[in-house]
Amino acid sequence: MTTILPLEPQRLYISCDPDQFTFQTTAELPDLTEIIGQARAMEAVYFGSGIRQEGYNLFVLGPAGMGKRSLVQQFLEAKASKEPEPSDWCYLNNFAQPHKPKVLKLPSGRGEELRQHMERLVDYLRSAIPAQFESEEYRNKVSAIQQEFDELREREIRELGEEAEKKEIVLLRTPEGFALAPSRNREVIPPEEYEKLPQKEKDRIEAAITELQAHLEKVLNHLPQRRRERSERIKQLNRDIMLSIVEHMISELRAIYADLPDVLDHLDAVQQDMVLHVDDFRKPDESVNISGVTIITHQTFNNYQVNVLATNHKKPGAPIISEDNPTYSNLIGRMEHIAQFGALVTNFTLIKPGALHRANGGYLLLDVRKMLMQPFAWEGLKRALQSGKIHIESLGQLYSLVSTVSLEPEPVPLDVKVVLFGDRLFYYLLQQYDPEFNELFKVAADFEETIERNAESHMLYAQLISTLTRKEKLLPYDRHAVARVIEHSARLVGDSEKLSMHMRSVVDLLHEADYWAREAGHEVVQASDVQQAINSQIRRQDRVRDRLYEAILRGTLMIDTQGAVTGQVNGLSVIELGGFAFAQPTRITATARFGKGNLINIEREVELSGAIHSKGVLILSSFLAARYAKNQPLALSASLAFEQSYGMVEGDSASLAELCALLSNLANVPINQSLAITGSVNQLGQAQAIGAVNEKIEGFFDICAARDLTGKQGVLIPAPNVQHLMLRQNVVEAAVAGKFHIYAVENVDQAITLLTGVPAGEADANGEYPEGSINHQVAARLAELIAISKSFVHEGGKNQEEKK
């Protein structure tokens, strides 16, 4: 087996050469005009925003902080500016059924125009109509009608009086009304004289009075009808006057809206209603005294107003609406109420639009997490998209929780492209559990978290930094600072061949480096300012790490960095708190004894082991059986434990360390404690890549450095992880000085050889391992355990025979 040498220092950190840049500062660079590293996602956005078929809404996937919302909005703004402006949507009073307001579609800008015209019409009529009805001409016409009916009544009374006079009966006017009495020479006959008249004369007089009384009653019975006719004549006069005023004004509006038949129909209805309700315009403001408080009520004429729900005429192109609080009401719209005399009332002017109304004809941007957190919002959005209409209903009415009379507005036709933003988890959960999701969101735009690192992407990243500094009004960056930002970007993704596209982290670093540059009085941001920002970010978050390392250095947590111990190895795990990740060196121990092939994972037995960690331990059992016990039972019982671990253990990144500890115990060969190891292992004994390799190396380095570096300390990592190395500068410097080493291993044999200093040994054609090798000693120990097992079987059989 070839000797495994430490990795060369240049492989531990891939630096960015500032000399590759031709600029001195980013102020010399133009703004970035292209979107870098997101070709696949932007192709999906282009397709999803362009196709106008039903259900092709967009779901933009990716972690928060990627800048995906800004990129998509920037793209949509450029696209929407070239698209036609959407129609205006208004609600009008339904004069036939006031509880069912009508919806009106108008060309862009015409809705607000109509609203203003109707307001001016009402304002004009409120002043013009009272003035007209207070004019001398109107009073004369009313007086003429009154006089006409008065003359008609007097004529009928006069004719009755003349008829009575011919019959020697007089018609008298009394405070109680009219009376008939006998007369002589036009004088009323006194009662005493009337009694002296002959009976025949009395009979004639009574017959005449009875006849005249019937005639009088007929005349009096006509009076209410005459009054009604007079009232109708006056009302008709009022309507004629109102019509002459209103028709003149509405004729002007008809000329303006001659190309809009729906508006003309509404104007006809308005004219008809105004003429019928002319008295409303004549009423002065009324005052009501309630509990000593005088309240003046004004005529509002709401039924003639125009409620403009959505208009986009102030901004060219299609609307782009971003709703940050997607509640049900904010999405669908709502009907507000006002309190009047202790009661809540509403009308069509109190219908308020939602985000769907404002985005109609354009694009609506929503955060899926916020959407799902709001009760009924998700179902309301789906209902609108499925029906292609926006139904404004209160939740109480929608779910039959209340039975009060309310408005039933006509639904607004919906034509919108919805763009949801969220983590991948939400997308796949909705795909799995919501059968309607795939019908409504057929386009997924999955944003990349990294891009390839090369000379071209370095230059694009420099342009990105230049663009961001100008946008955020920051100091320009010199090329050394740009190179340091690029190096840190590779460190953020834990890959020397990739760069991070997590824009929030990049922008935060630019802001903080700008702060430190200004504090230092620099005119441009330098590499030292970037490094100061990085150090400050770590300093603000590393309290827990410092306390943990302090416990190790004081011996509270037992971690050896020198000496050799059998069945004990330094493993490396990672803790992530608030976005800050750091390594926790952990002692892993293994014990082995005679048994029935059981490999006990102590963490699993006490339910502190996650499924992936338990899987890794089971793989160790398979490896041992496949390598050392192909044709015989594995008479082994072993235990593995993370010492001084009191929390959950998850992941298989310690399985290589656990296997090495177990082999050390079986071979009875001590492991060098100056080395730590990380990596997972498969059933074939091959080392597999793990995450957070940089943090794990640096964690063990910090402990070793605090105890003084001896030149023998180091970390073993899987060979596939070499490409991920972007170690801290002090680790690289220690490696250059030969005080700390990083080894890349491909399999467990290389790992155990480095840890013990004893060759693992390779099997010959007969499956035998060289004398003195680790594998030979492990095989010998297992053979010993098998022999013990057979002796137990033999003794057990012998005892059975003796008992017989």
Side-chain angles (χ1 to χ4, degrees), residues 392-642:
I392 299 181
E393 296 176 286
S394 68
L395 288 173
Q397 182 181 358
L398 183 63
Y399 292 95
S400 302
L401 300 177
V402 295
S403 58
T404 56
V405 177
S406 185
L407 298 181
E408 298 176 16
E410 187 179 350
V412 176
L414 179 63
D415 176 22
V416 70
K417 185 73 68 173
V418 177
V419 184
L420 291 181
F421 296 87
D423 291 340
R424 295 184 179 93
L425 176 64
F426 290 110
Y427 177 78
Y428 294 119
L429 285 176
L430 287 170
Q431 257 196 342
Q432 181 70 24
Y433 294 107
D434 190 339
E436 298 170 333
F437 177 73
N438 286 332
E439 298 176 6
L440 298 175
F441 293 88
K442 297 182 179 181
V443 182
D446 198 349
F447 270 66
E448 298 283 355
E449 298 174 52
T450 62
I451 60 171
E452 292 293 331
R453 181 181 175 185
N454 50 46
E456 180 183 358
S457 61
H458 282 180
M459 192 61 201
L460 289 172
Y461 223 80
Q463 278 188 268
L464 174 64
I465 295 172
S466 174
T467 305
L468 292 173
T469 54
R470 271 192 283 269
K471 179 182 177 181
E472 303 292 331
K473 298 180 180 180
L474 306 177
L475 293 175
Y477 279 57
D478 68 21
R479 56 183 182 175
H480 294 275
V482 169
R484 186 67 190 93
V485 172
I486 291 173
E487 292 169 356
H488 184 66
S489 177
R491 170 57 189 259
L492 286 176
V493 297
D495 195 330
S496 63
E497 299 176 0
K498 301 281 186 179
L499 293 178
S500 173
M501 292 305 297
H502 194 270
M503 290 296 102
R504 184 190 301 165
S505 299
V506 175
V507 171
D508 289 347
L509 179 61
L510 296 182
H511 282 159
E512 295 181 29
D514 175 84
Y515 169 81
W516 292 113
R518 294 178 190 272
E519 286 289 301
H522 298 159
E523 295 182 358
V524 297
V525 179
Q526 302 175 6
S528 59
D529 301 318
V530 177
Q531 188 59 51
Q532 175 69 28
I534 295 170
N535 294 340
S536 298
Q537 287 180 343
I538 296 172
R539 174 66 176 168
R540 292 195 298 269
Q541 302 180 80
D542 66 353
R543 186 191 66 82
V544 175
R545 183 186 67 176
D546 286 353
R547 299 290 77 77
L548 179 65
Y549 290 176
E550 179 185 4
I552 293 174
L553 296 174
R554 296 177 64 186
T556 306
L557 294 178
M558 295 184 289
I559 299 293
D560 294 334
T561 55
Q562 57 184 357
V565 181
T566 300
Q568 175 180 301
V569 68
N570 290 322
L572 299 170
S573 58
V574 168
I575 297 174
E576 186 170 354
L577 296 172
F580 176 64
F582 59 92
Q584 177 185 2
T586 305
R587 174 178 291 181
I588 299 174
T589 60
T591 60
R593 56 205 170 275
F594 170 74
K596 298 181 179 180
N598 298 325
L599 190 57
I600 299 173
N601 174 11
I602 292 178
E603 267 66 34
R604 182 179 63 185
E605 296 301 318
V606 295
E607 298 183 353
L608 287 178
S609 174
I612 298 176
H613 177 251
S614 298
K615 174 188 174 184
V617 174
L618 292 175
I619 287 175
L620 304 188
S621 178
S622 299
F623 169 79
L624 291 175
R627 173 172 284 194
Y628 302 109
K630 289 182 179 180
N631 301 316
Q632 56 190 3
L634 189 62
L636 167 72
S637 182
S639 299
L640 295 169
F642 278 65

Side-chain angles (χ1 to χ4, degrees), residues 256-495:
I256 296 173
Y257 297 99
D259 58 330
L260 300 172
D262 291 340
V263 176
L264 297 180
D265 292 342
H266 179 66
L267 292 176
D268 291 341
V270 167
Q271 177 177 310
Q272 183 179 358
D273 189 78
M274 284 181 169
V275 171
L276 291 175
H277 297 86
V278 59
D279 290 340
D280 291 344
F281 288 89
R282 300 177 60 189
K283 290 179 182 177
D285 294 338
E286 299 178 354
S287 60
V288 180
N289 191 288
I290 300 177
S291 301
V293 179
T294 301
I295 300 176
I296 299 177
T297 60
H298 304 275
Q299 290 289 335
T300 59
F301 301 100
N302 285 331
N303 49 338
Y304 306 125
Q305 292 185 20
V306 176
N307 184 0
V308 182
L309 287 184
T311 180
N312 196 50
H313 68 282
K314 295 181 180 179
K315 187 176 181 181
I320 300 175
I321 302 300
S322 181
E323 179 55 62
D324 294 328
N325 185 27
T327 63
Y328 178 86
S329 297
N330 287 350
L331 281 176
I332 308 300
R334 64 190 183 279
M335 288 176 285
E336 294 184 344
H337 295 74
I338 56 175
Q340 287 186 355
F341 306 111
L344 292 177
V345 297
T346 187
N347 58 66
F348 77 98
T349 63
L350 296 176
I351 298 175
K352 302 302 179 183
L356 285 171
H357 294 94
R358 299 194 302 274
N360 207 356
Y363 305 89
L364 177 60
L365 280 54
L366 298 169
D367 184 286
V368 69
R369 178 177 171 274
K370 294 178 180 178
M371 165 80 64
L372 295 174
M373 289 176 66
Q374 297 294 339
F376 309 107
W378 177 244
E379 292 300 323
L381 175 66
K382 290 194 299 180
R383 179 172 178 243
L385 293 177
Q386 287 171 331
S387 64
K389 297 178 181 179
I390 311 172
H391 296 262
I392 299 181
E393 296 176 286
S394 68
L395 288 173
Q397 182 181 358
L398 183 63
Y399 292 95
S400 302
L401 300 177
V402 295
S403 58
T404 56
V405 177
S406 185
L407 298 181
E408 298 176 16
E410 187 179 350
V412 176
L414 179 63
D415 176 22
V416 70
K417 185 73 68 173
V418 177
V419 184
L420 291 181
F421 296 87
D423 291 340
R424 295 184 179 93
L425 176 64
F426 290 110
Y427 177 78
Y428 294 119
L429 285 176
L430 287 170
Q431 257 196 342
Q432 181 70 24
Y433 294 107
D434 190 339
E436 298 170 333
F437 177 73
N438 286 332
E439 298 176 6
L440 298 175
F441 293 88
K442 297 182 179 181
V443 182
D446 198 349
F447 270 66
E448 298 283 355
E449 298 174 52
T450 62
I451 60 171
E452 292 293 331
R453 181 181 175 185
N454 50 46
E456 180 183 358
S457 61
H458 282 180
M459 192 61 201
L460 289 172
Y461 223 80
Q463 278 188 268
L464 174 64
I465 295 172
S466 174
T467 305
L468 292 173
T469 54
R470 271 192 283 269
K471 179 182 177 181
E472 303 292 331
K473 298 180 180 180
L474 306 177
L475 293 175
Y477 279 57
D478 68 21
R479 56 183 182 175
H480 294 275
V482 169
R484 186 67 190 93
V485 172
I486 291 173
E487 292 169 356
H488 184 66
S489 177
R491 170 57 189 259
L492 286 176
V493 297
D495 195 330

Side-chain angles (χ1 to χ4, degrees), residues 134-343:
E134 293 170 3
S135 66
E136 186 69 26
E137 179 185 0
Y138 173 73
R139 286 197 293 268
N140 291 337
K141 289 181 179 180
V142 172
S143 296
I145 295 172
Q146 183 71 38
Q147 184 177 356
E148 179 183 345
F149 280 90
D150 289 347
E151 289 177 353
L152 177 60
R153 184 190 63 182
E154 290 300 323
R155 185 172 67 249
E156 289 180 342
I157 296 299
R158 187 171 60 252
E159 290 175 352
L160 179 62
E162 291 173 353
E163 182 181 352
E165 187 177 349
K166 291 178 182 179
K167 298 180 179 182
E168 294 184 341
I169 303 295
V170 65
L171 179 65
L172 302 175
R173 294 177 184 263
T174 68
E176 290 79 18
F178 292 93
L180 294 169
S183 67
R184 180 183 298 126
N185 299 324
R186 298 181 178 181
E187 293 292 334
V188 175
I189 299 175
E192 58 275 11
E193 292 186 12
Y194 178 77
E195 291 297 329
K196 298 176 181 179
L197 293 176
Q199 187 61 38
K200 185 176 180 180
E201 181 64 15
K202 289 181 179 180
D203 293 342
R204 183 193 67 80
I205 291 173
E206 289 178 1
I209 289 176
T210 300
E211 182 182 352
L212 291 172
Q213 185 69 37
H215 190 183
L216 176 61
E217 289 178 359
K218 186 177 181 180
V219 171
L220 293 178
N221 287 338
H222 285 168
L223 288 180
Q225 181 181 351
R226 301 274 195 241
R227 292 190 188 99
R228 287 194 297 271
E229 291 175 358
R230 181 186 62 188
S231 177
E232 283 298 321
R233 286 277 301 279
I234 293 174
K235 286 182 179 179
Q236 186 59 45
L237 172 64
N238 293 345
R239 287 194 289 267
D240 291 342
I241 294 173
M242 183 71 172
L243 180 61
S244 64
I245 300 173
V246 173
E247 190 171 29
H248 170 70
M249 294 298 298
I250 288 187
S251 295
E252 295 180 2
L253 295 181
R254 286 195 182 97
I256 296 173
Y257 297 99
D259 58 330
L260 300 172
D262 291 340
V263 176
L264 297 180
D265 292 342
H266 179 66
L267 292 176
D268 291 341
V270 167
Q271 177 177 310
Q272 183 179 358
D273 189 78
M274 284 181 169
V275 171
L276 291 175
H277 297 86
V278 59
D279 290 340
D280 291 344
F281 288 89
R282 300 177 60 189
K283 290 179 182 177
D285 294 338
E286 299 178 354
S287 60
V288 180
N289 191 288
I290 300 177
S291 301
V293 179
T294 301
I295 300 176
I296 299 177
T297 60
H298 304 275
Q299 290 289 335
T300 59
F301 301 100
N302 285 331
N303 49 338
Y304 306 125
Q305 292 185 20
V306 176
N307 184 0
V308 182
L309 287 184
T311 180
N312 196 50
H313 68 282
K314 295 181 180 179
K315 187 176 181 181
I320 300 175
I321 302 300
S322 181
E323 179 55 62
D324 294 328
N325 185 27
T327 63
Y328 178 86
S329 297
N330 287 350
L331 281 176
I332 308 300
R334 64 190 183 279
M335 288 176 285
E336 294 184 344
H337 295 74
I338 56 175
Q340 287 186 355
F341 306 111

